[in-house]
Amino acid sequence: MAVTAQMVKELREKTGAGMMDCKKALVQVDGDMDAAIDFLREKGLSSAAKKADRIAAEGTTFILEEGNEAVLVEVNAETDFVAKNEGFQVLVKELATHLLATKPATAEEAVATTMENGLTVADHISNAIAKIGEKITLRRFVIATKTDADSFGPYLHMGGRIGVLAVVEGTTDASVAKDVAMHVAALNPKYISNDQISQEEIDHERKVLTEQALNEGKPENIVAKMVEGRLRKYFEEICVLDQPFVKNPDQKVGDFVKAAGGTLKSFVRYEVGEGIEKREDNFAEEVMNQVNGN
């Protein structure tokens, strides 16, 4: 069968692969569109496999709201340059839309689900890898829900370098929840309030503070009192409701939310690449690898 320009265009629209790759695939399978899609998928999977051992610690966070549901997702790439690529940004939005529609429990479960285009998430990402040229991973996501009486606080900092999704109950003023999310992005608290802190963490911190006080030469009869005071200070540093509000340091976050008639139900903060050990690459070697097609 003769391969026409229209067939190449159609295949490109369906797969996102390059024009020459689409033409080659159609020629290879004698114009069979479905077989050509499989051919390109297999090629994409092969390209992805070559990049599997690379470290993807850049990328972006993204938040999508639909009614009373919202998703915060982190998708990683190898470089900040690719993270700003339009194709990468489109992929992130597609993944967020799919996650909100299907609500898988984990990222591992998510990559096995099927998207509207008939591909699994894993294959869809692999096709993007083949087109964009870097390792891309769906690292993590969280789905939040609220009622009509509550509000979401979505906040992206530095173009998505940090993403925060907060839920405030009891108020429909979205600006309150967004201000809380902005505060969380800036100060990175661990908990809403100290009743969320495990006894194990409290005991560990009390032990460390006790040793500090003793090493400072403080009398043993006042160490316990000092430790409890420092422990309260520690709670204030890691619990968002006890922190001075970034937009008004004279007011605690808890008081700010309460004054708006709300209650902070939850927050999740993602910072791109946190916890991923980044590899220090040799720049000259990396350039040569790219020149040689590795």
Side-chain angles (χ1 to χ4, degrees), residues 223-289:
V223 164
K225 186 175 181 180
M226 285 183 57
V227 166
E228 293 308 309
R230 291 181 179 181
L231 197 59
R232 285 192 297 272
K233 181 66 175 176
Y234 172 71
F235 290 159
E236 291 176 1
E237 292 174 353
I238 64 173
C239 298
V240 64
L241 294 182
D242 291 328
Q243 292 178 333
F245 185 32
V246 289
K247 295 183 72 172
N248 180 11
D250 294 330
Q251 183 181 38
K252 296 288 183 70
V253 173
D255 294 332
F256 166 72
V257 176
K258 185 177 180 180
T263 302
L264 179 59
K265 176 185 177 183
S266 65
F267 71 83
V268 177
R269 181 186 188 275
Y270 288 165
E271 185 166 350
V272 171
E274 60 186 347
I276 300 176
E277 183 177 351
K278 299 183 180 181
R279 182 175 60 205
E280 296 296 330
D281 291 325
N282 181 295
F283 180 72
E285 180 182 344
E286 179 67 18
V287 171
M288 288 305 300
N289 283 338

Side-chain angles (χ1 to χ4, degrees), residues 10-251:
E10 181 182 350
L11 182 59
R12 186 184 186 189
E13 290 174 349
K14 288 184 175 181
T15 64
M19 295 288 284
M20 293 306 297
D21 286 334
C22 289
K23 182 177 180 179
K24 179 180 178 181
L26 286 164
V27 170
Q28 184 78 18
V29 299
D30 196 28
D32 186 319
M33 188 63 66
D34 290 337
I37 291 173
D38 288 342
F39 178 89
L40 288 173
R41 287 178 60 194
E42 290 166 5
K43 181 181 178 181
L45 289 169
S46 175
S47 298
K50 292 179 181 179
K51 298 174 175 63
D53 63 343
R54 296 187 182 180
I55 297 175
E58 298 297 332
T60 192
T61 62
F62 181 73
I63 299 171
L64 178 65
E65 293 181 63
E66 288 187 1
N68 284 335
E69 297 177 330
V71 60
L72 166 64
V73 60
E74 178 184 348
V75 181
N76 295 135
E78 294 177 53
T79 65
D80 183 56
F81 177 78
V82 162
K84 297 174 182 176
N85 174 280
E86 183 179 354
F88 179 82
Q89 295 290 340
V90 169
L91 172 67
V92 172
K93 292 176 183 178
E94 290 173 341
L95 293 175
T97 300
H98 177 72
L99 292 170
L100 206 51
T102 57
K103 300 178 181 61
T106 64
E108 291 76 13
E109 181 180 314
V111 295
T113 59
T114 301
M115 303 182 70
E116 285 189 355
N117 60 9
L119 299 179
T120 64
V121 169
D123 286 347
H124 189 63
I125 292 175
S126 292
N127 285 344
I129 292 172
K131 183 178 180 181
I132 294 173
E134 283 194 5
K135 179 179 179 180
I136 299 170
T137 59
L138 170 60
R139 185 186 184 195
R140 53 184 173 172
F141 66 91
V142 62
I143 296 173
T145 61
K146 68 176 184 67
T147 72
D148 290 339
D150 311 325
S151 56
F152 286 131
Y155 180 69
L156 297 177
H157 184 63
M158 297 175 61
R161 189 74 193 176
I162 297 173
V164 179
L165 179 58
V167 180
V168 174
E169 294 179 328
T171 177
T172 58
D173 187 350
S175 66
V176 174
K178 186 171 183 179
D179 281 346
V180 172
M182 188 184 302
H183 174 97
V184 170
L187 269 68
N188 194 17
K190 294 175 65 177
Y191 305 103
I192 293 178
S193 58
N194 58 25
D195 57 7
Q196 293 183 325
I197 305 175
S198 70
Q199 189 61 46
E200 181 181 5
E201 182 173 352
I202 293 173
D203 291 343
H204 172 77
E205 189 64 22
R206 181 178 282 114
K207 181 176 182 297
V208 170
L209 292 174
T210 299
E211 290 299 321
Q212 285 179 353
L214 291 173
N215 289 336
E216 291 168 3
K218 305 297 182 183
E220 289 191 23
N221 62 329
I222 67 168
V223 164
K225 186 175 181 180
M226 285 183 57
V227 166
E228 293 308 309
R230 291 181 179 181
L231 197 59
R232 285 192 297 272
K233 181 66 175 176
Y234 172 71
F235 290 159
E236 291 176 1
E237 292 174 353
I238 64 173
C239 298
V240 64
L241 294 182
D242 291 328
Q243 292 178 333
F245 185 32
V246 289
K247 295 183 72 172
N248 180 11
D250 294 330
Q251 183 181 38

